[in-house]
mmCIF file of all heavy atoms in Angstrom:
data_model
loop_
_atom_site.group_PDB
_atom_site.id
_atom_site.type_symbol
_atom_site.label_atom_id
_atom_site.label_comp_id
_atom_site.label_asym_id
_atom_site.label_seq_id
_atom_site.Cartn_x
_atom_site.Cartn_y
_atom_site.Cartn_z
ATOM 1 N N ALA A 282 107.935 139.112 159.542
ATOM 2 C CA ALA A 282 108.466 139.592 158.263
ATOM 3 C C ALA A 282 108.373 138.503 157.196
ATOM 4 O O ALA A 282 107.944 138.753 156.060
ATOM 5 C CB ALA A 282 109.901 140.050 158.439
ATOM 6 N N LEU A 283 108.771 137.282 157.551
ATOM 7 C CA LEU A 283 108.673 136.185 156.592
ATOM 8 C C LEU A 283 107.220 135.892 156.219
ATOM 9 O O LEU A 283 106.906 135.598 155.063
ATOM 10 C CB LEU A 283 109.319 134.928 157.169
ATOM 11 C CG LEU A 283 110.846 134.885 157.182
ATOM 12 C CD1 LEU A 283 111.339 133.674 157.969
ATOM 13 C CD2 LEU A 283 111.406 134.859 155.767
ATOM 14 N N SER A 284 106.337 135.987 157.202
ATOM 15 C CA SER A 284 104.923 135.756 156.925
ATOM 16 C C SER A 284 104.380 136.769 155.925
ATOM 17 O O SER A 284 103.604 136.418 155.027
ATOM 18 C CB SER A 284 104.119 135.809 158.221
ATOM 19 O OG SER A 284 104.500 134.765 159.092
ATOM 20 N N LEU A 285 104.797 138.030 156.070
ATOM 21 C CA LEU A 285 104.338 139.063 155.135
ATOM 22 C C LEU A 285 104.879 138.820 153.730
ATOM 23 O O LEU A 285 104.163 138.995 152.727
ATOM 24 C CB LEU A 285 104.745 140.441 155.638
ATOM 25 C CG LEU A 285 103.975 140.970 156.852
ATOM 26 C CD1 LEU A 285 104.584 142.282 157.339
ATOM 27 C CD2 LEU A 285 102.504 141.170 156.515
ATOM 28 N N LEU A 286 106.139 138.408 153.619
ATOM 29 C CA LEU A 286 106.695 138.121 152.296
ATOM 30 C C LEU A 286 105.968 136.936 151.661
ATOM 31 O O LEU A 286 105.716 136.926 150.447
ATOM 32 C CB LEU A 286 108.195 137.842 152.396
ATOM 33 C CG LEU A 286 109.096 139.026 152.725
ATOM 34 C CD1 LEU A 286 110.561 138.616 152.628
ATOM 35 C CD2 LEU A 286 108.831 140.216 151.793
ATOM 36 N N ALA A 287 105.650 135.942 152.477
ATOM 37 C CA ALA A 287 104.911 134.803 151.943
ATOM 38 C C ALA A 287 103.534 135.234 151.442
ATOM 39 O O ALA A 287 103.049 134.740 150.418
ATOM 40 C CB ALA A 287 104.776 133.719 153.013
ATOM 41 N N GLN A 288 102.899 136.171 152.160
ATOM 42 C CA GLN A 288 101.607 136.679 151.697
ATOM 43 C C GLN A 288 101.755 137.452 150.391
ATOM 44 O O GLN A 288 100.873 137.395 149.524
ATOM 45 C CB GLN A 288 100.990 137.561 152.776
ATOM 46 C CG GLN A 288 100.551 136.792 154.011
ATOM 47 C CD GLN A 288 100.111 137.705 155.138
ATOM 48 O OE1 GLN A 288 99.543 138.768 154.886
ATOM 49 N NE2 GLN A 288 100.378 137.307 156.361
ATOM 50 N N ALA A 289 102.868 138.166 150.253
ATOM 51 C CA ALA A 289 103.128 138.852 148.985
ATOM 52 C C ALA A 289 103.293 137.834 147.861
ATOM 53 O O ALA A 289 102.797 138.031 146.744
ATOM 54 C CB ALA A 289 104.377 139.723 149.106
ATOM 55 N N THR A 290 103.960 136.729 148.148
ATOM 56 C CA THR A 290 104.121 135.662 147.156
ATOM 57 C C THR A 290 102.771 135.062 146.794
ATOM 58 O O THR A 290 102.511 134.747 145.630
ATOM 59 C CB THR A 290 105.067 134.581 147.695
ATOM 60 O OG1 THR A 290 106.357 135.174 147.939
ATOM 61 C CG2 THR A 290 105.211 133.435 146.714
ATOM 62 N N ALA A 291 101.908 134.897 147.790
ATOM 63 C CA ALA A 291 100.566 134.382 147.504
ATOM 64 C C ALA A 291 99.802 135.326 146.587
ATOM 65 O O ALA A 291 98.998 134.892 145.756
ATOM 66 C CB ALA A 291 99.798 134.167 148.808
ATOM 67 N N HIS A 292 100.050 136.620 146.724
ATOM 68 C CA HIS A 292 99.383 137.611 145.869
ATOM 69 C C HIS A 292 99.932 137.580 144.450
ATOM 70 O O HIS A 292 99.172 137.656 143.473
ATOM 71 C CB HIS A 292 99.569 139.007 146.468
ATOM 72 C CG HIS A 292 99.009 140.112 145.631
ATOM 73 N ND1 HIS A 292 97.665 140.391 145.573
ATOM 74 C CD2 HIS A 292 99.619 140.999 144.796
ATOM 75 C CE1 HIS A 292 97.463 141.416 144.754
ATOM 76 N NE2 HIS A 292 98.628 141.790 144.257
ATOM 77 N N ASP A 293 101.246 137.434 144.320
ATOM 78 C CA ASP A 293 101.879 137.411 143.006
ATOM 79 C C ASP A 293 103.143 136.556 143.087
ATOM 80 O O ASP A 293 104.217 137.038 143.438
ATOM 81 C CB ASP A 293 102.235 138.826 142.542
ATOM 82 C CG ASP A 293 102.858 138.845 141.148
ATOM 83 O OD1 ASP A 293 103.013 137.758 140.553
ATOM 84 O OD2 ASP A 293 103.203 139.937 140.661
ATOM 85 N N PRO A 294 103.034 135.259 142.760
ATOM 86 C CA PRO A 294 104.198 134.377 142.894
ATOM 87 C C PRO A 294 105.254 134.568 141.814
ATOM 88 O O PRO A 294 106.290 133.899 141.857
ATOM 89 C CB PRO A 294 103.566 132.979 142.793
ATOM 90 C CG PRO A 294 102.318 133.175 142.012
ATOM 91 C CD PRO A 294 101.813 134.541 142.371
ATOM 92 N N SER A 295 105.028 135.450 140.880
ATOM 93 C CA SER A 295 105.998 135.635 139.801
ATOM 94 C C SER A 295 107.126 136.588 140.173
ATOM 95 O O SER A 295 108.088 136.723 139.413
ATOM 96 C CB SER A 295 105.296 136.165 138.548
ATOM 97 O OG SER A 295 104.851 137.505 138.738
ATOM 98 N N ARG A 296 107.043 137.237 141.338
ATOM 99 C CA ARG A 296 108.045 138.242 141.720
ATOM 100 C C ARG A 296 108.933 137.704 142.833
ATOM 101 O O ARG A 296 108.465 136.999 143.736
ATOM 102 C CB ARG A 296 107.362 139.528 142.191
ATOM 103 C CG ARG A 296 106.264 140.048 141.286
ATOM 104 C CD ARG A 296 106.783 140.319 139.867
ATOM 105 N NE ARG A 296 107.826 141.298 139.835
ATOM 106 C CZ ARG A 296 107.626 142.623 139.910
ATOM 107 N NH1 ARG A 296 106.384 143.091 140.018
ATOM 108 N NH2 ARG A 296 108.633 143.457 139.870
ATOM 109 N N PRO A 297 110.222 138.074 142.834
ATOM 110 C CA PRO A 297 111.170 137.546 143.827
ATOM 111 C C PRO A 297 111.111 138.324 145.146
ATOM 112 O O PRO A 297 112.102 138.915 145.587
ATOM 113 C CB PRO A 297 112.527 137.710 143.135
ATOM 114 C CG PRO A 297 112.348 138.928 142.274
ATOM 115 C CD PRO A 297 110.909 138.898 141.799
ATOM 116 N N TRP A 298 109.983 138.281 145.807
ATOM 117 C CA TRP A 298 109.803 139.077 147.029
ATOM 118 C C TRP A 298 110.793 138.697 148.123
ATOM 119 O O TRP A 298 111.222 139.563 148.901
ATOM 120 C CB TRP A 298 108.374 138.902 147.559
ATOM 121 C CG TRP A 298 107.297 139.191 146.572
ATOM 122 C CD1 TRP A 298 106.430 138.312 146.009
ATOM 123 C CD2 TRP A 298 106.975 140.467 145.994
ATOM 124 N NE1 TRP A 298 105.584 138.933 145.126
ATOM 125 C CE2 TRP A 298 105.894 140.269 145.097
ATOM 126 C CE3 TRP A 298 107.493 141.766 146.143
ATOM 127 C CZ2 TRP A 298 105.321 141.296 144.363
ATOM 128 C CZ3 TRP A 298 106.912 142.798 145.404
ATOM 129 C CH2 TRP A 298 105.852 142.564 144.535
ATOM 130 N N ALA A 299 111.168 137.428 148.212
ATOM 131 C CA ALA A 299 112.031 136.972 149.311
ATOM 132 C C ALA A 299 113.508 136.923 148.943
ATOM 133 O O ALA A 299 114.332 136.528 149.784
ATOM 134 C CB ALA A 299 111.577 135.582 149.769
ATOM 135 N N ASP A 300 113.846 137.317 147.736
ATOM 136 C CA ASP A 300 115.243 137.245 147.307
ATOM 137 C C ASP A 300 116.003 138.491 147.757
ATOM 138 O O ASP A 300 116.482 139.290 146.945
ATOM 139 C CB ASP A 300 115.306 137.091 145.786
ATOM 140 C CG ASP A 300 116.712 136.756 145.301
ATOM 141 O OD1 ASP A 300 117.564 136.410 146.143
ATOM 142 O OD2 ASP A 300 116.947 136.857 144.078
ATOM 143 N N VAL A 301 116.100 138.639 149.077
ATOM 144 C CA VAL A 301 116.756 139.810 149.674
ATOM 145 C C VAL A 301 117.747 139.337 150.723
ATOM 146 O O VAL A 301 117.680 138.201 151.223
ATOM 147 C CB VAL A 301 115.720 140.766 150.306
ATOM 148 C CG1 VAL A 301 114.884 141.437 149.228
ATOM 149 C CG2 VAL A 301 114.826 140.025 151.282
ATOM 150 N N ALA A 302 118.660 140.223 151.075
ATOM 151 C CA ALA A 302 119.796 139.825 151.913
ATOM 152 C C ALA A 302 119.377 139.253 153.256
ATOM 153 O O ALA A 302 119.919 138.239 153.711
ATOM 154 C CB ALA A 302 120.725 141.025 152.104
ATOM 155 N N TRP A 303 118.402 139.880 153.928
ATOM 156 C CA TRP A 303 118.074 139.415 155.275
ATOM 157 C C TRP A 303 117.422 138.039 155.273
ATOM 158 O O TRP A 303 117.583 137.266 156.233
ATOM 159 C CB TRP A 303 117.207 140.433 156.020
ATOM 160 C CG TRP A 303 115.794 140.616 155.533
ATOM 161 C CD1 TRP A 303 115.338 141.571 154.689
ATOM 162 C CD2 TRP A 303 114.666 139.809 155.887
ATOM 163 N NE1 TRP A 303 113.989 141.422 154.476
ATOM 164 C CE2 TRP A 303 113.540 140.363 155.213
ATOM 165 C CE3 TRP A 303 114.472 138.703 156.711
ATOM 166 C CZ2 TRP A 303 112.265 139.823 155.332
ATOM 167 C CZ3 TRP A 303 113.191 138.162 156.822
ATOM 168 C CH2 TRP A 303 112.112 138.729 156.146
ATOM 169 N N VAL A 304 116.690 137.702 154.208
ATOM 170 C CA VAL A 304 116.106 136.359 154.129
ATOM 171 C C VAL A 304 117.218 135.324 153.969
ATOM 172 O O VAL A 304 117.203 134.259 154.607
ATOM 173 C CB VAL A 304 115.096 136.263 152.972
ATOM 174 C CG1 VAL A 304 114.626 134.820 152.792
ATOM 175 C CG2 VAL A 304 113.909 137.180 153.228
ATOM 176 N N HIS A 305 118.203 135.634 153.145
ATOM 177 C CA HIS A 305 119.308 134.696 152.944
ATOM 178 C C HIS A 305 120.159 134.560 154.208
ATOM 179 O O HIS A 305 120.807 133.525 154.405
ATOM 180 C CB HIS A 305 120.183 135.160 151.772
ATOM 181 C CG HIS A 305 119.507 135.059 150.443
ATOM 182 N ND1 HIS A 305 119.166 133.861 149.861
ATOM 183 C CD2 HIS A 305 119.092 136.028 149.579
ATOM 184 C CE1 HIS A 305 118.573 134.082 148.690
ATOM 185 N NE2 HIS A 305 118.519 135.398 148.499
ATOM 186 N N ALA A 306 120.148 135.583 155.057
ATOM 187 C CA ALA A 306 120.978 135.559 156.269
ATOM 188 C C ALA A 306 120.234 135.065 157.505
ATOM 189 O O ALA A 306 120.864 134.827 158.549
ATOM 190 C CB ALA A 306 121.529 136.959 156.533
ATOM 191 N N VAL A 307 118.924 134.914 157.420
ATOM 192 C CA VAL A 307 118.150 134.560 158.609
ATOM 193 C C VAL A 307 118.570 133.188 159.137
ATOM 194 O O VAL A 307 118.898 132.277 158.371
ATOM 195 C CB VAL A 307 116.637 134.588 158.295
ATOM 196 C CG1 VAL A 307 116.235 133.423 157.415
ATOM 197 C CG2 VAL A 307 115.822 134.598 159.566
ATOM 198 N N ASP A 308 118.570 133.052 160.454
ATOM 199 C CA ASP A 308 118.900 131.786 161.102
ATOM 200 C C ASP A 308 117.592 131.060 161.422
ATOM 201 O O ASP A 308 116.925 131.389 162.410
ATOM 202 C CB ASP A 308 119.692 132.041 162.387
ATOM 203 C CG ASP A 308 120.037 130.747 163.121
ATOM 204 O OD1 ASP A 308 119.765 129.654 162.569
ATOM 205 O OD2 ASP A 308 120.575 130.825 164.244
ATOM 206 N N PRO A 309 117.200 130.056 160.620
ATOM 207 C CA PRO A 309 115.918 129.385 160.873
ATOM 208 C C PRO A 309 115.897 128.631 162.187
ATOM 209 O O PRO A 309 114.826 128.344 162.723
ATOM 210 C CB PRO A 309 115.769 128.435 159.682
ATOM 211 C CG PRO A 309 117.128 128.282 159.118
ATOM 212 C CD PRO A 309 117.884 129.516 159.436
ATOM 213 N N GLY A 310 117.073 128.312 162.723
ATOM 214 C CA GLY A 310 117.122 127.613 163.995
ATOM 215 C C GLY A 310 116.581 128.429 165.152
ATOM 216 O O GLY A 310 116.276 127.874 166.221
ATOM 217 N N ARG A 311 116.440 129.737 164.966
ATOM 218 C CA ARG A 311 115.925 130.605 166.022
ATOM 219 C C ARG A 311 114.431 130.876 165.851
ATOM 220 O O ARG A 311 113.858 131.705 166.563
ATOM 221 C CB ARG A 311 116.700 131.926 166.026
ATOM 222 C CG ARG A 311 118.216 131.734 166.218
ATOM 223 C CD ARG A 311 118.940 133.036 166.277
ATOM 224 N NE ARG A 311 118.575 133.815 167.460
ATOM 225 C CZ ARG A 311 119.090 135.002 167.772
ATOM 226 N NH1 ARG A 311 119.988 135.557 166.965
ATOM 227 N NH2 ARG A 311 118.694 135.636 168.847
ATOM 228 N N ILE A 312 113.803 130.194 164.892
ATOM 229 C CA ILE A 312 112.378 130.369 164.624
ATOM 230 C C ILE A 312 111.663 129.079 164.983
ATOM 231 O O ILE A 312 112.147 127.977 164.693
ATOM 232 C CB ILE A 312 112.144 130.721 163.139
ATOM 233 C CG1 ILE A 312 112.914 131.981 162.749
ATOM 234 C CG2 ILE A 312 110.660 130.908 162.855
ATOM 235 C CD1 ILE A 312 112.835 132.306 161.264
ATOM 236 N N ASN A 313 110.516 129.204 165.601
ATOM 237 C CA ASN A 313 109.704 128.035 165.893
ATOM 238 C C ASN A 313 109.389 127.306 164.583
ATOM 239 O O ASN A 313 108.904 127.917 163.634
ATOM 240 C CB ASN A 313 108.406 128.477 166.580
ATOM 241 C CG ASN A 313 107.574 127.315 167.073
ATOM 242 O OD1 ASN A 313 107.417 126.311 166.382
ATOM 243 N ND2 ASN A 313 107.020 127.448 168.267
ATOM 244 N N PRO A 314 109.661 126.001 164.518
ATOM 245 C CA PRO A 314 109.406 125.288 163.250
ATOM 246 C C PRO A 314 107.957 125.372 162.785
ATOM 247 O O PRO A 314 107.679 125.292 161.586
ATOM 248 C CB PRO A 314 109.825 123.847 163.558
ATOM 249 C CG PRO A 314 109.926 123.749 165.038
ATOM 250 C CD PRO A 314 110.258 125.120 165.529
ATOM 251 N N GLU A 315 107.013 125.543 163.723
ATOM 252 C CA GLU A 315 105.622 125.690 163.305
ATOM 253 C C GLU A 315 105.429 126.954 162.479
ATOM 254 O O GLU A 315 104.625 126.964 161.533
ATOM 255 C CB GLU A 315 104.706 125.713 164.527
ATOM 256 C CG GLU A 315 104.641 124.382 165.284
ATOM 257 C CD GLU A 315 103.678 124.447 166.444
ATOM 258 O OE1 GLU A 315 103.040 125.512 166.634
ATOM 259 O OE2 GLU A 315 103.538 123.436 167.160
ATOM 260 N N HIS A 316 106.136 128.022 162.845
ATOM 261 C CA HIS A 316 106.054 129.249 162.047
ATOM 262 C C HIS A 316 106.644 129.034 160.658
ATOM 263 O O HIS A 316 106.124 129.541 159.656
ATOM 264 C CB HIS A 316 106.766 130.391 162.757
ATOM 265 C CG HIS A 316 106.119 130.817 164.032
ATOM 266 N ND1 HIS A 316 104.774 131.050 164.151
ATOM 267 C CD2 HIS A 316 106.639 131.063 165.267
ATOM 268 C CE1 HIS A 316 104.470 131.418 165.381
ATOM 269 N NE2 HIS A 316 105.595 131.433 166.081
ATOM 270 N N LEU A 317 107.744 128.286 160.591
ATOM 271 C CA LEU A 317 108.350 128.012 159.287
ATOM 272 C C LEU A 317 107.407 127.178 158.421
ATOM 273 O O LEU A 317 107.302 127.397 157.208
ATOM 274 C CB LEU A 317 109.672 127.276 159.480
ATOM 275 C CG LEU A 317 110.794 128.103 160.136
ATOM 276 C CD1 LEU A 317 111.956 127.202 160.536
ATOM 277 C CD2 LEU A 317 111.270 129.193 159.184
ATOM 278 N N VAL A 318 106.715 126.223 159.034
ATOM 279 C CA VAL A 318 105.736 125.432 158.296
ATOM 280 C C VAL A 318 104.653 126.341 157.722
ATOM 281 O O VAL A 318 104.256 126.216 156.555
ATOM 282 C CB VAL A 318 105.108 124.350 159.197
ATOM 283 C CG1 VAL A 318 103.893 123.717 158.512
ATOM 284 C CG2 VAL A 318 106.131 123.284 159.542
ATOM 285 N N GLY A 319 104.185 127.298 158.527
ATOM 286 C CA GLY A 319 103.151 128.220 158.054
ATOM 287 C C GLY A 319 103.616 129.032 156.859
ATOM 288 O O GLY A 319 102.860 129.229 155.891
ATOM 289 N N VAL A 320 104.858 129.514 156.898
ATOM 290 C CA VAL A 320 105.411 130.277 155.776
ATOM 291 C C VAL A 320 105.466 129.406 154.526
ATOM 292 O O VAL A 320 105.033 129.813 153.427
ATOM 293 C CB VAL A 320 106.811 130.813 156.121
ATOM 294 C CG1 VAL A 320 107.514 131.360 154.879
ATOM 295 C CG2 VAL A 320 106.723 131.898 157.187
ATOM 296 N N LEU A 321 105.998 128.191 154.667
ATOM 297 C CA LEU A 321 106.138 127.314 153.504
ATOM 298 C C LEU A 321 104.782 126.893 152.945
ATOM 299 O O LEU A 321 104.622 126.760 151.727
ATOM 300 C CB LEU A 321 106.965 126.088 153.878
ATOM 301 C CG LEU A 321 108.438 126.362 154.221
ATOM 302 C CD1 LEU A 321 109.148 125.066 154.598
ATOM 303 C CD2 LEU A 321 109.159 127.045 153.060
ATOM 304 N N LEU A 322 103.796 126.690 153.804
ATOM 305 C CA LEU A 322 102.469 126.320 153.317
ATOM 306 C C LEU A 322 101.829 127.464 152.541
ATOM 307 O O LEU A 322 101.125 127.238 151.543
ATOM 308 C CB LEU A 322 101.571 125.903 154.477
ATOM 309 C CG LEU A 322 101.893 124.557 155.129
ATOM 310 C CD1 LEU A 322 100.901 124.248 156.240
ATOM 311 C CD2 LEU A 322 101.882 123.439 154.096
ATOM 312 N N THR A 323 102.059 128.694 152.981
ATOM 313 C CA THR A 323 101.533 129.835 152.233
ATOM 314 C C THR A 323 102.154 129.896 150.849
ATOM 315 O O THR A 323 101.462 130.117 149.841
ATOM 316 C CB THR A 323 101.807 131.142 152.993
ATOM 317 O OG1 THR A 323 101.194 131.079 154.281
ATOM 318 C CG2 THR A 323 101.256 132.339 152.239
ATOM 319 N N VAL A 324 103.458 129.685 150.781
ATOM 320 C CA VAL A 324 104.158 129.688 149.496
ATOM 321 C C VAL A 324 103.683 128.514 148.641
ATOM 322 O O VAL A 324 103.431 128.666 147.433
ATOM 323 C CB VAL A 324 105.682 129.627 149.715
ATOM 324 C CG1 VAL A 324 106.415 129.485 148.383
ATOM 325 C CG2 VAL A 324 106.158 130.874 150.450
ATOM 326 N N LEU A 325 103.555 127.344 149.263
ATOM 327 C CA LEU A 325 103.108 126.148 148.542
ATOM 328 C C LEU A 325 101.757 126.380 147.884
ATOM 329 O O LEU A 325 101.535 126.007 146.724
ATOM 330 C CB LEU A 325 103.028 124.977 149.523
ATOM 331 C CG LEU A 325 102.432 123.662 149.022
ATOM 332 C CD1 LEU A 325 103.236 123.111 147.865
ATOM 333 C CD2 LEU A 325 102.364 122.640 150.151
#
């Protein structure tokens, strides 16, 4: 889900695609840090 939102941001970074309740509530400690790096690199 986060990967898809990051791809949406790559398509149009002007829209708040990730500013939703479940993103704010997600526990990053339960995600492999490599996956988090991939999401952040897409956004970057």
